[in-house]
Amino acid sequence: PMANKVTFDQRTPVDFAIIGSGAAGGIIAKELSTAGFNVVVFEQGPYRKAEDFTHDEYSVVFNSELLGGGPEVSGQTFRHDEDEVATSPPVPPIGYAQTVGGSSVHFSANFWRFRESDFKERSMLGPISGTNFADWPVTYDEIEPYYTRVEWEVGVSGAPGPFDSFRSKPFPMPPLPVKSSGVLLEKGAKKLGLHAQAQPHAILSQPFNGRAGCIKCGHCMFFGCEVGAKSSTLAAMIPLAEASGHCEIRDRSAVFRIETDDAGRASEVLYYDKDGKEQAQMAKAVIVSANGAETSRLLLLSASERHPDGLANSSGFVGRNLMFNAHATVDGVFEHPLNDYKSVQVSKVIHDFYETDEARGFYGGGGIDARPLWSATPILHAILGMPHDVPGWGAEWKAEIAHNFTRQMTLASGTTSLAMDRNNITLDPNSTDQWGRPAIRATYRDHDDDLAIARFLSERSQELMDAAGATKYWAHEIKPADNGVHLLGTARMGDDPTTSVIDRYHRSHDVPNLFICDGSSFVTSGRGQPTMTIMALAFRAAEHIAAAAKANEI
């Protein structure tokens, strides 16, 4: 569609100000603007197009080009426990996409639905002490039609697996071709009586909705897609929003405060423009879709006399219950070249261990997939992909790099993460970001059950490597996370305003014209691929927000 460019006046209230253009914000912008509402989308990063994306590993992976630069720019800090002083995290800042389309631009696009159990685990399993384990206020049946909309409107390739929940419509496209790693995972799985299934992707396996299919370049994880085959909101939703003539994408605009009026309603969005000058946009309603870390920070920064602990935070739950999804990785080398650096990260996944099994003695479950991981790009492979018994430099190191690059694969497990008060996003009192805003401070230590399920899946992965015929394999140590990219739970949905931030339709309990929709809405963590659920919730939220607005109920 042709862009139908529009610029809205800052002193005339637009219908909706949407903060964040990622998985949720991009969908809500498209839904509301095509329904005829005037929408301004605020994105702190620049508006990059497909032709602006490169395969420059140094710029993208090491200088965090699509994340707005490294920790020194974000000022972000991390600690495992409250009594520690938080320090700069050792890896790129958490969930800090700064580009129109947000993290959907540079994610790996592994994409699966949650299951029925994910929404009602607390009822199924009972309480878990020391946690805020709870059921969602919505069910799989309520979300299923919106999962289907994600598949058909945003674009998902896949095939149903033996453990999937029911679907009302088939996938619109077949799965992407199986890779060597997928064949080996299937070989190992068969020997062990497990089931490898096609990994669904938010990547087009063939042309769809006027977009090109995947060219198998191998640069999905961390990189933007230069042909638009990855189903980011940048590729799939924002063009439709702009074509409506009702949506302005205001890039390089960093929101630092949401103001409320005397009636206690959100009335104005304050932000720094591309020159660092303070600006303000009036709005009839505000939707925050900035991600589980940025959303919490903004609500905390918007404290006032009426909202002393932060906007929408009468419950005290803003920033709490941060969930990362624990991970486990096992690397293996095989006799023959796999050339796994080509195409998408993952082609097969095992879901036999998805559900909590009380016989294990701890909560949690997850998936095991096969992928190049470090061996997708040469520098990462050299730094992170080497066996533990190889020196970090010299002739032996170089020989190992050269031999393993084409012959290596990783079995990666994504697991559950329990919601706890101690895992949270707060404002760092000693650190600011490039705009001078108090920086995001993450405090996070995995629950013992999260580490136990990660160890369990690591052990299963080692058995799979053995069964698949690896000549050598090694497991990475399971230890508390010092970073996370899945930022979930920090403004959870619920029916009870004392233990949740938003209602089942994403409306803030405290501020009637403020909505929050992104990973922060989650009540439980799922098993490591949250984005499809974020997108489904966004379609559902937009439908209810539009209906409420038309009925003059906002």
Side-chain angles (χ1 to χ4, degrees):
M2 290 298 294
N4 206 343
K5 291 280 187 236
V6 58
T7 307
F8 292 108
D9 177 61
Q10 291 175 291
R11 306 320 299 150
T12 307
V14 290
D15 294 316
F16 294 98
I18 300 177
I19 300 156
S21 61
I27 285 173
I28 294 172
K30 175 259 179 187
E31 289 289 285
L32 294 177
S33 58
T34 55
F37 295 102
N38 289 337
V39 172
V40 175
V41 179
F42 293 89
E43 169 55 56
Q44 54 192 13
Y47 197 157
R48 297 176 176 91
K49 300 289 172 64
E51 60 268 23
D52 300 323
F53 297 123
T54 71
H55 291 175
D56 182 339
E57 188 183 359
Y58 190 74
S59 175
V60 171
V61 179
F62 291 91
N63 290 339
S64 303
E65 179 191 327
L66 302 182
L67 309 179
E72 66 288 343
V73 179
S74 70
Q76 224 179 72
T77 62
F78 183 92
R79 59 189 182 175
H80 281 121
D81 299 290
E82 265 184 9
D83 50 11
E84 291 171 25
V85 174
T87 55
S88 185
V91 274
I94 58 173
Y96 208 69
Q98 289 197 11
T99 195
V100 171
S103 299
S104 72
V105 166
H106 59 72
F107 72 154
S108 303
N110 298 321
F111 223 59
W112 64 61
R113 298 177 174 209
F114 281 11
R115 297 209 189 141
E116 285 96 340
S117 57
D118 282 306
F119 297 96
K120 55 182 187 188
E121 285 185 299
R122 169 68 170 76
S123 294
M124 291 166 60
L125 302 171
I128 298 174
S129 74
T131 74
N132 293 319
F133 192 43
D135 286 347
W136 291 58
V138 294
T139 63
Y140 178 83
D141 289 14
E142 281 175 76
I143 305 299
E144 197 284 331
Y146 304 98
Y147 278 134
T148 298
R149 288 194 62 189
V150 176
E151 288 169 355
W152 285 84
E153 294 186 41
V154 181
V156 178
S157 307
F163 305 106
D164 291 5
S165 294
F166 85 93
R167 52 177 52 249
S168 55
K169 206 173 173 183
F171 283 96
M173 285 163 283
L176 280 124
V178 66
K179 298 173 40 144
S180 304
S181 54
V183 171
L184 290 167
L185 182 67
E186 194 141 33
K187 177 184 168 185
K190 279 204 171 106
K191 271 194 188 166
L192 298 176
L194 303 173
H195 308 79
Q197 65 184 77
Q199 167 76 351
H201 286 94
I203 295 173
L204 309 184
S205 60
Q206 58 196 39
F208 181 75
N209 284 359
R211 291 163 46 210
C214 176
I215 60 167
K216 322 293 189 293
C217 75
H219 285 69
C220 301
M221 186 173 69
F222 305 125
F223 295 87
C225 181
E226 75 270 33
V227 297
K230 190 188 291 185
S231 295
S232 61
T233 53
L234 174 72
M237 292 284 113
I238 286 164
L240 302 175
E242 287 193 302
S244 73
H246 291 283
C247 179
E248 177 190 347
I249 306 292
R250 207 170 284 174
D251 69 334
R252 291 181 293 174
S253 298
V255 176
F256 64 88
R257 187 175 176 83
I258 299 166
E259 286 288 8
T260 49
D261 61 19
D262 294 342
R265 295 167 59 83
S267 56
E268 205 168 17
V269 169
L270 309 187
Y271 65 101
Y272 299 111
D273 66 16
K274 63 181 188 297
D275 303 315
K277 292 195 175 71
E278 283 196 26
Q279 302 286 354
Q281 173 67 55
M282 297 181 76
K284 294 178 190 171
V286 175
I287 299 166
V288 188
S289 297
N291 83 36
E294 291 282 12
T295 289
S296 318
R297 170 166 71 161
L298 179 57
L299 296 172
L300 295 171
L301 286 174
S302 302
S304 62
E305 275 182 37
R306 185 182 276 102
H307 302 280
D309 299 318
L311 194 59
N313 196 25
S314 66
S315 63
F317 268 61
V318 168
R320 274 162 58 181
N321 300 310
L322 177 64
M323 298 175 284
F324 275 172
N325 293 122
H327 288 90
T329 50
V330 176
D331 295 335
V333 178
F334 289 78
E335 180 185 354
H336 300 291
L338 314 181
N339 296 326
D340 224 49
Y341 58 87
K342 298 175 182 181
S343 191
V344 294
Q345 274 273 315
V346 177
S347 60
K348 293 275 180 176
V349 61
I350 287 174
H351 277 322
D352 295 71
F353 308 112
Y354 191 97
E355 305 290 353
T356 295
D357 178 354
E358 307 215 27
R360 291 178 205 144
F362 46 82
Y363 165 78
I368 301 173
D369 68 46
R371 55 170 84 191
L373 195 56
W374 328 113
S375 306
T377 54
I379 311 178
L380 269 184
H381 170 70
I383 295 173
L384 298 172
M386 291 298 101
H388 305 322
D389 58 359
V390 172
W393 61 285
E396 192 188 336
W397 178 61
K398 289 178 185 172
E400 194 86 18
I401 290 169
H403 178 270
N404 293 4
F405 183 66
T406 55
R407 293 175 176 83
Q408 192 163 319
M409 75 174 199
T410 300
L411 294 182
S413 304
T415 77
T416 34
S417 181
L418 280 160
M420 296 184 283
D421 290 334
R422 75 178 189 211
N423 293 338
N424 53 58
I425 298 289
T426 48
L427 304 176
D428 194 299
N430 309 312
S431 184
T432 54
D433 69 10
Q434 71 219 67
W435 291 282
R437 301 177 295 185
I440 289 167
R441 177 176 64 185
T443 307
Y444 196 89
R445 181 179 289 280
D446 303 86
H447 190 278
D448 288 346
D449 284 20
D450 300 331
L451 298 173
I453 187 64
R455 277 187 214 100
F456 171 86
L457 292 172
S458 173
E459 287 160 12
R460 302 294 77 73
S461 299
Q462 291 168 64
E463 292 163 5
L464 282 159
M465 280 290 188
D466 221 22
T471 56
K472 174 178 188 172
Y473 58 88
W474 59 99
H476 294 265
E477 187 190 350
I478 308 290
K479 53 182 197 281
D482 51 18
N483 178 279
V485 290
H486 300 166
L487 306 167
L488 310 174
T490 51
R492 65 159 55 175
M493 57 158 65
D495 296 330
D496 179 354
T498 64
T499 55
S500 60
V501 178
I502 53 171
D503 69 14
R504 60 175 55 235
Y505 300 121
H506 297 266
R507 191 192 292 245
S508 149
H509 291 302
D510 299 352
V511 182
N513 67 335
L514 174 71
F515 299 83
I516 299 160
C517 184
D518 55 26
S520 65
S521 310
F522 283 38
V523 181
T524 56
S525 66
R527 268 77 176 151
Q529 304 299 353
T531 311
M532 187 176 198
T533 301
I534 292 172
M535 288 186 168
L537 291 172
F539 274 114
R540 181 175 171 277
E543 189 177 291
H544 288 281
I545 292 167
K550 282 177 179 153
N552 205 18
E553 286 164 8
I554 295 178

